[in-house]
Amino acid sequence: MAHDVLHPTPEYLAFWQERHVCTLTTHRPDGTPHVVPVGVTYDPEAGLARVISNKHSKKVRNVLAAPDGVARVAVCQMEGRRWATLEGRATIRTDEASVADAVERYARRYGRTPSPNPDRVVLEITLDRAMGRA
């Protein structure tokens, strides 16, 4: 079932606010999918999803290896029969304000603040598709 990225149903948005481990799918330079568990925050007002990561991770390297450093990605979560996927174009943000904002959003959703990490970056996903059954 398709959803409006900028105007999700209350149920869909509530599902993205619950604490769930998600997956992030990026593509390796050879085109094969790379799927890893992550924490994701969804900001429908901005049309963004955010994933915090270490700048040396494979997922970050996959995004940076894409043309112009912009990669098509998907994040997904599920619980029982409920599931939700967000898709869009990811870029890597390294500026302090973007990282701090993403960490704060992560802390709100997951109930814990990650340990400080000078190598932390943000995969910022400009969303263009949402689907699921929440």
Side-chain angles (χ1 to χ4, degrees), residues 75-97:
V75 291
C76 184
Q77 66 181 18
M78 63 171 284
E79 178 186 56
R81 297 180 65 156
R82 298 186 308 157
W83 63 276
T85 299
L86 299 168
E87 296 180 21
R89 300 195 178 281
T91 56
I92 304 302
R93 301 281 184 230
T94 59
D95 64 282
E96 194 173 310

Side-chain angles (χ1 to χ4, degrees), residues 58-75:
K58 180 63 176 167
K59 59 187 160 284
V60 169
R61 291 194 317 267
N62 287 343
V63 171
L64 292 173
D68 299 321
V70 179
R72 185 99 188 137
V73 302
V75 291

Side-chain angles (χ1 to χ4, degrees), residues 18-38:
E18 295 172 10
R19 187 178 196 279
H20 295 286
V21 174
C22 304
T23 60
L24 168 71
T25 303
T26 61
H27 291 91
R28 298 178 185 99
D30 69 2
T32 58
H34 179 253
V35 183
V36 294
V38 295

Side-chain angles (χ1 to χ4, degrees), residues 4-9 12-14 16-17 41-50 86 105 125 127 130:
D4 184 331
V5 170
L6 300 176
H7 303 96
T9 65
Y12 192 78
L13 181 58
W16 276 106
Q17 293 169 337
T41 61
Y42 174 31
D43 179 0
E45 285 113 24
L48 298 173
R50 295 173 182 89
L86 299 168
R105 290 170 186 276
I125 307 164
L127 301 170

